[in-house]
Amino acid sequence: MTRAAVLAGIGACLPPRLVTNAELAARLDSSDEWVRSRTGISQRYLADPSVLTSDLAVGAGSRALKSSGDPHVDALVVATTTPDRPCPATAPTVAGKLGLGHAAAFDVSAVCSGFLYGLASGAGLIAGGIAERVLVIGAETFSRILNPADRSTSVIFGDGAGAAVLRAGSTAEEGALGPFDLGSDGEGADLITVPAGGPPPEGAWPDPVPDDYYFTMQGKRVFWLAVQRMGQSAQAVLDRSGWRADEVDHLVAHQANHRITQRLADEIGLPRERAVSNIAEVGNTAAASVPLALVHAHAAGTLRPGDRVLLTAFGGGLTWGATTLVWPAVETS
């Protein structure tokens, strides 16, 4: 049978500091009702200054390895918008902290689509015979690049990490990743961006910090592009998988905004109740969004072995992607 990447383990890590809408509203011209009605978010978790993206990645990765029942992998892919440093990549640091020896390790930067791009990279390594087992992690400390005075972004994003272990197997197995659809549009680069290229090295922040060093997003345009691009990408993989929309048990989309997820379900032709959502509890965690949603839905018993699952995401770049799988029996760590 055709060699395929099969989901073998999952894990998640959230920083301990929980921040409610009410806490943010105390310093912003906002309210709990304003945030919830526009985004569906009630709370998010924020990393303390001493916590690095690699720390969250290690937490999620270690749990995914434990869930898989095997601590060894041949390659590690870390999807992140907020690496520990611009150079070197964060993945080798994570590999070292996880004790993965000399496993191949590299970062993927596709913002909120990063985990889908990471899964595709891992699946490619396995399909090409380069690796037998790959750990894919989406990890973010997105709060580091947000303007704390900007209510349009600071109320939306949270920090966290989610991970998945892929192993070589066959396309006939539950957990085998289906076809991928990936795309980009550089003409939309300024819709989701950090204009000045991100925060400067530690200790070199200007005072006051210029707005160009903070993340910005043109929310209204992004809303409709996200629905359209994820919808098109999702339909492409459904067609290639031979699935009808009504055969999908669960849609797990990037948790950007609760209204986007609902509109996306409408676009695909799915009942809204089939769309997995954990944005109320964790906010938008960028590249960590899809794996965190998978872990939480699995832990809640929403995802059950044999369920048909559709994954899709949209992010800066602009980038987007989608894939399918039949949910396997995986251990919770």
Side-chain angles (χ1 to χ4, degrees):
M1 290 188 179
T2 304
R3 184 178 171 95
V6 179
L7 182 68
I10 54 174
C13 179
L14 292 168
R17 183 186 168 207
L18 186 154
V19 178
T20 64
N21 290 343
E23 182 176 339
L24 292 179
R27 61 176 174 80
L28 295 169
D29 181 19
S30 183
S31 67
D32 174 61
E33 191 279 332
W34 187 90
V35 176
R36 282 189 294 106
S37 64
R38 286 161 177 78
T39 67
I41 299 168
S42 298
Q43 62 181 42
R44 73 287 296 147
Y45 293 82
L46 302 182
D48 290 335
S50 61
V51 177
L52 302 175
T53 295
S54 61
D55 295 326
L56 298 176
V58 168
S62 63
R63 291 182 175 94
L65 290 169
K66 182 179 179 182
S67 168
S68 76
D70 186 340
H72 303 291
V73 294
D74 305 301
L76 166 66
V77 183
V78 173
T80 185
T81 321
T82 52
D84 289 357
R85 293 180 281 180
C87 177
T90 298
T93 300
V94 175
K97 291 180 178 180
L98 287 172
L100 300 182
H102 293 165
F106 59 93
D107 288 2
V108 168
S109 179
V111 197
C112 301
S113 304
F115 187 73
L116 265 295
Y117 272 66
L119 286 180
S121 299
L125 291 172
I126 289 173
I130 298 169
E132 293 296 312
R133 290 171 57 82
V134 180
L135 174 60
V136 181
I137 305 174
E140 302 283 13
T141 50
F142 219 83
S143 60
R144 306 277 162 81
I145 59 174
L146 300 179
N147 183 342
D150 181 7
R151 74 170 184 173
S152 68
T153 58
S154 63
V155 301
I156 294 174
F157 292 90
D159 302 329
V165 174
L166 305 178
R167 63 166 177 82
S170 76
T171 55
E173 293 183 70
E174 288 187 350
L177 297 181
F180 280 87
D181 177 80
L182 302 175
S184 72
D185 180 5
E187 292 187 3
D190 290 336
L191 297 179
I192 302 171
T193 186
V194 178
E202 185 177 355
W205 280 100
D207 186 16
V209 178
D211 287 346
D212 280 357
Y213 281 105
Y214 289 123
F215 173 88
T216 64
M217 179 172 63
Q218 297 182 35
K220 289 185 178 179
R221 292 189 64 189
V222 167
F223 185 106
W224 291 111
L225 281 170
V227 172
Q228 292 166 10
R229 295 303 188 189
M230 284 195 288
Q232 292 165 359
S233 193
Q235 189 59 56
V237 296
L238 288 177
D239 291 343
R240 291 171 61 193
S241 297
W243 293 5
R244 300 190 313 272
D246 61 8
E247 294 176 321
V248 174
D249 296 298
H250 305 288
L251 166 67
V252 182
H254 164 54
Q255 303 290 296
N257 180 302
H258 186 59
R259 292 185 298 162
I260 288 178
T261 303
Q262 290 185 328
R263 292 292 181 89
L264 175 61
D266 296 343
E267 184 82 3
I268 296 169
L270 279 173
R272 289 183 173 185
E273 59 268 21
R274 295 190 193 179
V276 168
S277 178
N278 69 337
I279 194 169
E281 291 78 30
V282 300
N284 180 339
T285 55
S289 165
V290 169
L292 278 173
L294 289 173
V295 171
H296 293 164
H298 175 71
T302 302
L303 296 179
R304 296 168 296 183
D307 284 351
R308 291 189 173 192
V309 182
L310 171 62
L311 308 181
T312 187
F314 176 89
L318 300 169
T319 59
W320 56 85
T323 192
T324 59
L325 78 156
V326 176
W327 194 250
V330 292
E331 296 293 329
T332 302
S333 63

